[in-house]
Amino acid sequence: MLTLTPGQTGLATLEALWREGSPARLDPACLPRVEAAARQVREAAQGGAAVYGVNTGFGKLASVKIAAGDTEALQRNLILSHCCGVGEALDEATTRLMMALKLLSLGRGASGVRTQVVALIEGMLAAGVTPVIPVQGSVGASGDLAPLAHMTAVMIGEGEATVAGARLPGGAALARAGLSPVVLGPKEGLALINGTQFSTALALAALFDGWRLASASLVTACLSTDAIMGSTAPLQPEIHSLRGHKGQIEVAGAMRALMQGSEIRESHREGDSRVQDPYCIRCQPQVVGAAVDLLRFAATTLETEANAVTDNPLVTAAGILSGGNFHAEPVAFAADIIALALAEIGAIAQRRVALMVDPTLSHDLPPFLTPEPGLNSGLMIAEVTTAALMSENKHLANPCSTDSTPTSANQEDHVSMAAHGARRLGRMTRNLSIILGVEALCAAQGIGFRVPLRTSDRLQEALAAIRAVSPPLTDDRYLAPDIEAASALVASGTLAQAAGLEFAL
């Protein structure tokens, strides 16, 4: 059981929850604040003054005053009317992360929900009741309304959820887990659907996978360097300290350590007619180092957002205040930044794949890395696949945050588009894992042609991990399973672990 401390929960805890499916609960110390805000909302609901979302309509209908006796119906209608999501269902791991992020937001004690609402979300996480969340329908302001409405629908016994592998109506799913639906009080429906947790969960998932892939790309780049008998001179620390970028310095240092002791490298320090390697070999620290810096910047933004209160209005000591924390612009920017990093890591890796299969550039490796070119095509089309995925990721990296359109009768006239900005990242990480998987296959094949020379001890361990899922390519064979296995090796973090690489976010 993970304990979530509102305002202080770190990325490592959130990644563990996402990857391992751990149940989570709020730190009980925050519950008095939660209940105090709920009392403040109940008092406002009984008062004569109009308070947005408590005793008024929503959005363009905010000027409509709602009678105290209708507040429960108001909140229920809000949820049902906002369940307009379409498309495939969000995966369960990211849905659970979204629910945990909603707990963190409510736990700050500024949303006005009762502790019963918090307890139901905790109970759903503990019992494995996962709402079915259609992935399309949010523009990222006022928060992720449609996705979060589908989550909340299950909490009131509506919608759909999965439990123990079965997809059931929301009320039946709760009942199977021994849970009861909640009747929403004043503002509670609005507090649950007004927020950025859907977009933030998707962006965090991509950040977690993207960091693993960035780390794996250091291993594949080093393997490729030895495959083409490239130089390690561009990794020297003096070069990178003179520029000063942290990510670049760290990437160069990690690559130096990975290649330390390579017999292949030592074999051509003298008498090599080549003066400089192509940029895809020489500039890996500059390119991936810059991507690392971007990923860390996005991580800072997303960690802040994960702990933020992003509904509206907010319950404060100064009163119940209407603002705009639901606007997901920070998440949209973070998603766009992650997209740029993923695209560029893939772009430079793909050029190394192209380098290795080209006999005019690979320093005497056979065409397409097959021992009998002509009769066999080797890794020819595997390289073409990486080119297709690289190009696809370039298109997906175009910004989403700059695209806004007015909604809700022009009341919500500028929106972030964070939801699909973050959602496209899953497709990009999948593409990148395949590009790097193919690079790993090509590099392993290339190093095989350098025998009896060996690469470094750490890279030999990486080679062993590759060969455990994909034997050397002799005659042509059905390669799709090899590519899938190599992609999984990269995406799981196993390749970086085999090389002993620890690269901290």
Side-chain angles (χ1 to χ4, degrees), residues 405-430:
T405 188
T407 63
S408 192
N410 283 301
Q411 177 73 5
E412 298 159 8
D413 59 351
H414 183 278
V415 298
S416 70
M417 298 301 181
H420 69 264
R423 182 164 55 87
R424 52 126 182 217
L425 298 176
R427 187 169 155 195
M428 294 185 72
T429 56
R430 169 67 176 156

Side-chain angles (χ1 to χ4, degrees), residues 12 25 104 114 203 280 308 347 382 417 449 467 501:
R25 65 176 188 130
L104 280 173
R114 295 164 295 158
C280 64
M417 298 301 181
F449 288 111
R467 286 300 174 227
L501 178 63

